[in-house]
Amino acid sequence: MKNLLLIIVLGFTTSLFAGSGGDILRATVMVDKLEYQYSDEKSVSWDTYAYIGYDINKVYIYSEGEKAKDSSSANSENQLVYSRAITPYWDVQIGAAYDKTENSDQTWGVIGVQGLAPYFFEIRAVILVSDDGNIGFRAESEYEALITQKLILTPSIALSAYTKNNEDMAIGSGLSNLKLGARLRYEFVREFAPYVGVEWSKNFSNTDDYSALDEVYATVGLRFWF
């Protein structure tokens, strides 16, 4: 894990020198989803990222999670990665991840890709490796369909899978969770858009034994960035 963090630091240092040729240092905070879910647990959920860097080299921080109404703490998945563009539309990423649940936590090494596939599907997929040899795979994709210039429908899919059980983290081997969603937002300005949506989330195999889930629920939230 220390080696991965060292790679992140070295990569970001390289990016500083890469920007000396006229490339502009940029930084953005994107709150892609901050929403209330009308599920059985009445959860508040978020999906955010921030980055700083140049065209080729960047450092990203990702965080997503949820807090149920009656829970004392939130469950979250967090990543710090060095990201390098390998084509005009794709980056490779390497770094560290930290998951937190109410009862436990888990640190991972992470490597992955993110980019824009043909037909403008946004994709991010990562492989995670823990100290105990558990290997995880998480992938998500979404598509922005412009109904008008301001009204945008965004269908999405996300899945996760693991090679080992971790009951403390409530994850089981095999396909763990699948989410299908659709959100309709109205962009008052590009930086600010409220939305409504619907999502189906289901746990599978041992994950479903640890935490049973098969639910469709409505959502209402905000998307903003700066």
Side-chain angles (χ1 to χ4, degrees):
M1 196 63 62
K2 291 180 179 178
N3 291 336
L4 290 174
L5 294 175
L6 180 59
I7 291 172
I8 294 171
V9 172
L10 291 175
F12 184 61
T13 302
T14 301
S15 76
L16 295 179
F17 288 102
S20 61
D23 199 359
I24 300 172
L25 179 66
R26 290 186 289 272
T28 295
V29 175
M30 165 64 82
V31 181
D32 195 38
K33 302 184 186 76
L34 178 60
E35 65 186 30
Y36 181 80
Q37 299 177 340
Y38 292 90
S39 60
D40 290 342
E41 294 187 335
K42 304 292 188 296
S43 298
V44 174
S45 175
W46 71 90
D47 185 355
T48 69
Y49 67 84
Y51 72 81
I52 184 170
Y54 297 94
D55 286 343
I56 302 298
N57 301 290
K58 297 182 181 70
V59 171
Y60 278 83
I61 297 174
Y62 298 89
S63 179
E64 62 181 290
E66 62 182 20
K67 184 182 183 304
K69 178 181 178 181
D70 296 327
S71 178
S72 60
S73 63
N75 297 338
S76 65
E77 298 173 357
N78 311 280
Q79 296 178 20
L80 172 65
V81 299
Y82 163 64
S83 183
R84 181 175 177 84
I86 55 173
T87 74
Y89 298 106
W90 289 95
D91 291 7
V92 294
Q93 299 182 325
I94 187 170
Y98 176 73
D99 296 349
K100 180 74 175 66
T101 68
E102 187 172 359
N103 301 315
S104 187
D105 56 29
Q106 174 75 67
T107 303
W108 309 83
V110 58
I111 185 169
V113 295
Q114 76 166 10
L116 193 64
Y119 302 101
F120 303 103
F121 286 91
E122 296 180 9
I123 294 174
R124 184 165 191 263
V126 298
I127 294 174
L128 306 107
V129 181
S130 68
D131 292 338
D132 63 0
N134 195 3
I135 299 174
F137 174 74
R138 296 173 187 165
E140 57 189 18
S141 178
E142 64 180 36
Y143 177 82
E144 295 194 342
L146 273 65
I147 299 174
T148 70
Q149 289 298 316
K150 291 182 175 292
L151 192 62
I152 300 168
L153 178 65
T154 307
S156 63
I157 181 172
L159 63 86
S160 59
Y162 303 91
T163 59
K164 291 185 176 182
N165 298 320
N166 187 335
E167 187 171 358
D168 292 337
M169 296 295 294
I171 57 176
S173 61
L175 179 60
S176 177
N177 176 263
L178 175 66
K179 288 181 181 177
L180 297 174
R183 290 168 176 81
L184 182 66
R185 72 176 187 267
Y186 184 85
E187 292 186 345
F188 288 98
V189 293
R190 288 194 63 197
E191 295 85 354
F192 179 81
Y195 64 83
V196 295
V198 62
E199 189 169 71
W200 171 62
S201 182
K202 178 173 174 54
N203 288 341
F204 295 88
S205 61
N206 290 335
T207 302
D208 196 53
D209 294 335
Y210 301 145
S211 177
L213 177 63
D214 185 359
E215 189 176 9
V216 178
Y217 45 84
T219 69
V220 58
L222 292 174
R223 179 183 189 269
F224 58 94
W225 58 273
F226 53 89

